[in-house]
Each structure stands twice: as C-alpha cells, then as structure tokens.
Amino acid sequence: MASVKQIQVTVDCAEPERVARFRSQVLGYEHVGSACVDPSGAGPRLYFQRVPEGKVVKNRLHLDVRVGTGLVGDERVAALESECARLLALGAVRVRLLRAWRQRVVPVPLRRFHSPESQGIR
C-alpha cells in the first residue's frame, strides 16, 4: 500500500476566497485563490470550496490555533490576549471565554472565536 505524503483539508463554505484569505492571515499561510498553503510545506493545504447550502449543524472539524505553548502564568495569558486582539482585527468574532475547559490539560482559560462564516477557532 502506498503511503500518504501530504493531506489537504477541504472545508465547505459560501465565500471560499474570503474564508481562505482570513485563514491564511490567521495561520501565516500563503493565500492562493480558494486555498491556504503553508509556506514551510510542513502543514496541510487548506482548500475552501463553494457549496450552495448554508451551514446547518455544528462542524465536526475545527482548527485550533495554539498560542503560548511552553509559556505559563501571566506570560501565557498575555500571549493569548495578544493573539485574541489580532484575530479580532482580522474579522473573527469572539464567542466566549472557556474558563475551566479541561483545566488539567490547559491551565489557563481558552478563547473561542468564529471565522467570518461561523467556523470555530479555539
């Protein structure tokens, strides 16, 4: 059996170019039409395809943006808040602050956002 060399994550949406531009800015990827490409080649290509129907139910896939890994306490909170401000400036919508989410794994509150098409970002 052949091994998989690369994967692409495909996301249905109403405005592929808009969502691809937003995700590229969030992740530091290159924006190529309806796709986002990791300039280092390490991460997967993200492709956004236009579909006629709107979002009906909760997404079963979401992209987590990990910020402040390796930092603790006030340093980590500052890194998270800085990234929050950046995401809001790009057009994200802050949904809520998850104060006690998996406290044993993540010892500081998580921030939850939606992209311009209400796709989850944590």
Side-chain angles (χ1 to χ4, degrees):
M1 175 166 60
S3 64
V4 176
K5 301 294 182 199
Q6 293 182 334
I7 66 164
Q8 169 176 289
V9 177
T10 302
V11 179
D12 294 348
C13 59
E15 298 180 63
E17 294 261 341
R18 178 178 176 219
V19 176
R21 186 177 321 104
F22 172 79
R23 292 292 182 163
S24 293
Q25 292 173 325
V26 168
L27 299 172
Y29 276 29
E30 294 174 5
H31 174 217
V32 183
S34 295
C36 305
V37 180
D38 181 355
S40 74
R45 179 178 191 259
L46 305 177
Y47 179 73
F48 301 90
Q49 67 182 4
R50 184 180 317 278
V51 294
E53 68 277 358
K55 180 180 168 185
V56 179
V57 295
K58 177 184 171 190
N59 293 334
R60 294 197 175 241
L61 170 76
H62 55 88
L63 303 176
D64 289 346
V65 177
R66 297 185 65 199
V67 177
T69 55
L71 299 177
V72 295
D74 291 341
E75 279 186 299
R76 182 155 184 197
V77 171
L80 289 169
E81 287 303 321
S82 175
E83 184 65 3
C84 287
R86 190 179 79 85
L87 293 175
L88 290 170
L90 293 175
V93 177
R94 191 174 198 157
V95 176
R96 66 180 175 212
L97 176 64
L98 304 170
R99 294 191 183 278
W101 189 79
R102 295 185 189 165
Q103 205 64 16
R104 293 179 309 274
V105 178
V106 182
V108 296
L110 293 178
R111 282 77 174 150
R112 179 147 188 211
F113 294 87
H114 280 166
S115 72
E117 284 201 11
S118 295
Q119 296 158 333
I121 304 170
R122 284 193 264 204

